[in-house]
Amino acid sequence: MYIFGASGQARAIIDILDPDVKISGVFDDDPKIKDILGFKVNGPVPEDFEFDAPLFIAIGDNKRRKLLQERFQKRTSFGIIVHKSAIVSRRTTIGEGTVIMEGAIVKVNTFIGKQVIVNTSSSVDHDCVVGDYVHIAPQATLCGGAEIGEGTLVGANSTVLPGVKVGKWCTIAAGAVVSKNLPDGAIKRRQD
């Protein structure tokens, strides 16, 4: 597997990889970053580089992850990472490039799109739909049947109640409770 990214999210990804997973190379567009957790950072991906293993985009920013997916999608496939401590129903669909971190729970009949981060100790209940490029932050909870639109950030320790639909590219603050549908681009503050 190749890793794109050499900052905080990349450290978290490299740290949870099974020791049997071979990291074939690490890339980052910042030429000043030379090393990450003992792995050499090769700089930007050369235009003529041929991937011989899947790529994992280890970038926390949802918009940037989308741009990188679009940049590399014709050149490679994308890996899926599920930490061994995560509990994931075998009747769940997980899109390419997605990571499910330590202690996360993903229940039955849930669809998770591509390039999604299901972060540490978060919970995605039954029958949820999570769009592409979403980040479900640590300890966030999606109750049964919740729908989260593309690119949305579900903040740490927030809760989306059963059946609530959240639009695309929304921001849900840490600790917020979402009890009604949100339109595209909405910002849900904790006190709202």
Side-chain angles (χ1 to χ4, degrees):
M1 178 178 292
Y2 290 93
I3 304 289
F4 187 96
S7 294
Q9 183 68 11
R11 282 190 292 277
I13 294 300
I14 291 169
D15 187 57
I16 70 166
L17 284 175
D18 187 291
D20 294 335
V21 174
K22 178 185 177 214
I23 297 177
S24 301
V26 179
F27 297 97
D28 195 281
D29 285 338
D30 184 347
K32 293 180 279 199
I33 301 174
K34 304 293 183 192
D35 177 85
I36 182 169
L37 298 178
F39 293 94
K40 178 185 175 202
V41 177
N42 297 308
V45 178
E47 288 301 319
D48 61 348
F49 184 80
E50 294 186 28
F51 291 94
D52 58 359
L55 174 65
F56 193 87
I57 300 172
I59 300 289
D61 180 86
N62 295 352
K63 288 181 182 174
R64 185 141 184 256
R65 216 165 45 255
K66 180 179 182 179
L67 291 172
L68 290 164
Q69 160 88 22
E70 292 168 349
R71 177 171 147 194
F72 295 120
Q73 67 187 354
K74 292 183 180 171
R75 297 172 60 187
T76 188
S77 61
F78 297 92
I80 295 172
I81 299 171
V82 177
H83 190 267
K84 64 184 174 185
S85 68
I87 300 170
V88 179
S89 169
R90 65 184 183 276
R91 293 178 177 92
T92 290
T93 301
I94 302 172
E96 65 179 7
T98 289
V99 60
I100 301 178
M101 304 289 276
E102 301 98 315
I105 299 172
V106 181
K107 298 293 282 179
V108 65
N109 203 38
T110 289
F111 173 87
I112 297 180
K114 65 186 175 192
Q115 300 294 340
V116 172
I117 299 170
V118 180
N119 219 318
T120 310
S121 298
S122 58
S123 178
V124 181
D125 206 356
H126 65 88
D127 300 298
C128 288
V129 176
V130 178
D132 299 339
Y133 317 110
V134 166
H135 184 164
I136 302 169
Q139 296 184 338
T141 299
L142 305 184
C143 295
E147 294 184 23
I148 308 298
E150 175 182 299
T152 289
L153 170 62
V154 180
N157 205 30
S158 62
T159 302
V160 179
L161 294 180
V164 170
K165 294 176 176 51
V166 176
K168 297 177 182 178
W169 300 100
C170 294
T171 301
I172 299 170
V177 176
V178 183
S179 60
K180 60 184 180 181
N181 295 349
L182 296 178
D184 292 352
I187 298 173
K188 171 65 174 159
R189 292 174 178 82
R190 187 173 180 182
Q191 296 80 15
D192 291 347

